[in-house]
Amino acid sequence: MDILSRLKAITPHVLTGDDALPYGRDWVGKYETSPLAVVRPRTTAEVSAILALCHETETPVVPMGGNTGLTGATAADGALILSLDRMQTIREIRPEARIAVVEAGVILQDLHDAAEAHGLTYPMTFGARGSARIGGTLATNAGGSNVLRYGNTRDLCLGVEVVLADGRVLDLMSELHKDNSGYDLRDLMIGSEGTLGVITAAVLKLYPAPKAHATAMVTTTGLSAALNLLNALQTRTGGMVEAFEYMPRGYMDNLARFRADLTPPLGHDQDHTIFLEIGSTMLRDCTPDETGQIPLVSHLEETLGVLFEEGLVLDAALAQSEAQRALMWEIREAAAEISTAEKPVVINDLCLPLDRLEAFMDQAETRLRALDPGFKTCPVAHLGDGNIHYTVYPSTYELADPLMEEVEEIVREMGGSFSAEHGIGLSKLPSMERRKNPVALEMMRAVKAAFDPKGILNPGKTLP
């Protein structure tokens, strides 16, 4: 009996031929592969049986969530795609413990909605939340716009259930906030991009949902002023800043070109625009006063006024309605769409010490211009955690690699990382080979060999 027949004996949900081809295309459009087949299990037991079969037959397996990644981590030429998209059960939400127990195929937005019904929030958020799945966010340790206040996905996870390469189920579904009993295998699995095991379920932290938000777009004189603004806001609000996103002129130019329907309240012709949001759960901040004004919004308005007098703010526009707030969020969350609309494109996902961000931007402009006088950029940044998506458009395809290497070199000189929240996949493998500490790579290969001795799990990804 061939492997496809044996897979169909485990689950009838096996796609082949033309039905499997859509799963072989990545979101960016860079990788188009022909999978052996796509298998769509419904339970952890089925995942276990599938992986045991693949281990026996040494069939390569590529786990897949919502396929919204940006590094080609789900490219699967000739491999079996293991799609978790049918494992969509939110097993329970426990408001007293403030946890959600979910399967890997749950869509991020669905978890947001389920938590909201209990007055809670799962604060991980980014533009692809309507199609990204929890397993994929865990496998890549996804970031997003609220990392500043709540942390990355790793910080939001208490426990995971993982099926190993040979089909054994590793039960790490802890609900504990403290467990110091040996190596933290949970954290090893989170961010491993499906190369060590397949995450099938997770225990996630929930938080009280803010009862009010104050949202604004402001302009500043530069990155240093923007960071001073952030620090001042954190001090004056007691650390309530949830989002602080940087959109310079290159971003606004692309927004005007590719999303002309989105008009920033302060216009496109600004050199340094910040989108920011603060949120509060306290009644004193959220209860309208006698004029109907939300105190939190008034507080932000007053604070920005003071910071304007201090020269940290050039101009500001506060959202006065939920529609205006939604517009501001949409302007920021259009980033993936508008930054990949032009080709050739080099997608950089960088992290730097906060006080070196401005120096990076200045050096990158100078040094890349020397290599390619016609290059353009579309940067956008989660400024509060130092994560810059420094998208570069070379004049020619031949200049793409030299420009990427130069960006990496600047980042290395400044003590940063070439991968902040997107992972490695395929596209960052050359970067890993060039820039990752050789001893670290050696240890990673030893871990990979221990968990996946036959090398069937997402082969060719993450480790060069």
Side-chain angles (χ1 to χ4, degrees):
M1 186 183 296
D2 64 20
I3 188 170
L4 294 181
S5 299
R6 295 177 70 182
L7 284 170
K8 289 174 182 176
I10 298 170
T11 173
H13 298 278
V14 179
L15 306 176
T16 58
D18 290 345
D19 293 333
L21 288 179
Y23 289 80
R25 302 185 188 105
D26 76 317
W27 186 87
V28 178
K30 182 176 181 179
Y31 301 99
E32 185 158 347
T33 56
S34 299
L36 168 69
V38 178
V39 60
R40 303 171 64 224
R42 177 62 194 85
T43 66
T44 299
E46 290 180 356
V47 175
S48 174
I50 291 164
L51 286 180
L53 172 60
C54 291
H55 189 260
E56 174 198 333
T57 58
E58 300 189 15
T59 302
V61 181
V62 176
M64 180 179 287
N67 200 23
T68 59
L70 299 174
T71 64
T74 55
D77 228 358
L80 176 69
I81 289 180
L82 177 59
S83 172
L84 284 300
D85 61 0
R86 295 182 63 243
M87 298 183 67
Q88 296 188 44
T89 300
I90 298 175
R91 294 178 183 172
E92 55 180 336
I93 289 181
R94 293 174 23 210
E96 288 186 358
R98 289 181 177 168
I99 61 172
V101 183
V102 303
E103 292 181 344
V106 169
I107 293 172
L108 181 55
Q109 183 64 59
D110 291 344
L111 178 55
H112 287 175
D113 295 342
E116 185 180 355
H118 295 272
L120 299 170
T121 181
Y122 179 65
M124 177 56 55
T125 188
F126 45 81
R129 63 185 176 273
S131 51
R133 298 179 186 269
I134 294 300
T137 67
L138 288 162
T140 57
N141 188 30
S145 300
N146 286 350
V147 168
L148 176 60
R149 187 167 187 178
Y150 300 101
N152 291 298
T153 301
R154 179 177 279 113
D155 302 301
L156 301 175
C157 180
L158 293 174
V160 291
E161 177 185 79
V162 181
V163 181
L164 300 178
D166 60 6
R168 288 179 296 164
V169 178
L170 179 60
D171 186 350
L172 304 172
M173 291 288 279
S174 172
E175 299 172 2
L176 304 177
H177 289 261
K178 291 182 178 179
D179 182 0
N180 227 355
S181 55
Y183 302 137
D184 197 331
L185 299 177
R186 172 204 62 188
D187 275 2
L188 189 59
M189 292 295 169
I190 296 171
S192 64
E193 301 187 79
T195 62
L196 302 180
V198 177
I199 296 172
T200 50
V203 182
L204 302 174
K205 299 178 189 177
L206 303 178
Y207 291 81
K211 293 181 172 61
H213 289 97
T215 310
M217 281 190 166
V218 305
T219 55
T220 69
T221 57
L223 269 170
S224 290
L227 287 173
N228 288 332
L229 168 62
L230 171 60
N231 292 335
L233 283 173
Q234 291 285 49
T235 299
R236 292 168 184 267
T237 64
M240 291 194 297
V241 180
E242 297 202 342
F244 197 84
E245 305 289 294
Y246 175 61
M247 296 171 287
R249 176 69 70 107
Y251 184 89
M252 289 301 179
D253 288 346
N254 268 30
L255 186 73
R257 290 175 62 199
F258 301 113
R259 286 299 305 271
D261 57 309
L262 300 177
T263 302
L266 299 175
H268 294 93
D269 57 342
Q270 305 293 333
D271 290 329
H272 306 282
T273 300
I274 300 291
F275 162 69
L276 65 91
E277 182 165 272
I278 61 177
S280 178
T281 62
M282 294 186 287
L283 288 176
R284 72 181 186 194
D285 294 328
C286 309
T287 304
D289 61 21
E290 61 275 5
T291 69
Q293 183 78 344
I294 302 293
L296 187 68
V297 177
S298 299
H299 180 52
L300 178 60
E301 189 170 15
E302 293 166 7
T303 299
L304 291 176
V306 172
L307 298 176
F308 174 81
E309 296 296 330
E310 295 177 0
L312 293 180
V313 172
L314 296 178
D315 199 0
L318 273 75
Q320 300 297 330
S321 66
E322 190 58 33
Q324 291 178 4
R325 175 181 177 234
L327 171 65
M328 292 181 184
W329 269 106
E330 190 172 2
I331 287 169
R332 169 58 184 88
E333 291 185 336
E337 175 187 354
I338 67 171
S339 62
T340 58
E342 188 172 345
K343 300 292 188 296
V345 59
V346 175
I347 300 174
N348 288 298
D349 168 40
L350 316 171
C351 197
L352 291 141
L354 298 185
D355 57 359
R356 296 181 182 174
L357 291 169
E358 188 165 53
F360 165 79
M361 294 291 282
D362 291 342
Q363 283 203 35
E365 172 66 27
T366 300
R367 288 164 63 168
L368 269 61
R369 187 73 62 195
L371 290 172
D372 180 4
F375 94 106
K376 294 183 295 182
T377 64
C378 178
V380 64
H382 307 299
L383 200 55
D385 57 44
N387 181 190
I388 299 181
H389 300 295
Y390 192 74
T391 304
V392 177
Y393 307 108
S395 298
T396 66
Y397 282 94
E398 289 74 21
L399 287 169
D401 287 342
L403 291 180
M404 175 177 277
E405 290 189 37
E406 189 66 18
V407 168
E408 288 175 9
E409 180 58 23
I410 301 169
V411 169
R412 184 199 63 78
E413 292 169 7
M414 295 186 175
S417 171
F418 59 83
S419 179
E421 64 179 3
H422 292 168
I424 303 301
L426 282 177
S427 66
K428 293 291 184 181
L429 282 177
S431 306
M432 280 286 276
E433 191 162 20
R434 287 190 293 261
R435 306 295 176 184
K436 194 68 178 177
N437 178 274
V439 178
L441 285 175
E442 184 181 342
M443 293 299 98
M444 289 180 188
R445 291 189 179 104
V447 171
K448 169 70 170 173
F451 277 91
D452 182 19
K454 294 186 177 182
I456 66 167
L457 290 179
N458 215 2
K461 316 291 174 50
T462 308
L463 289 173

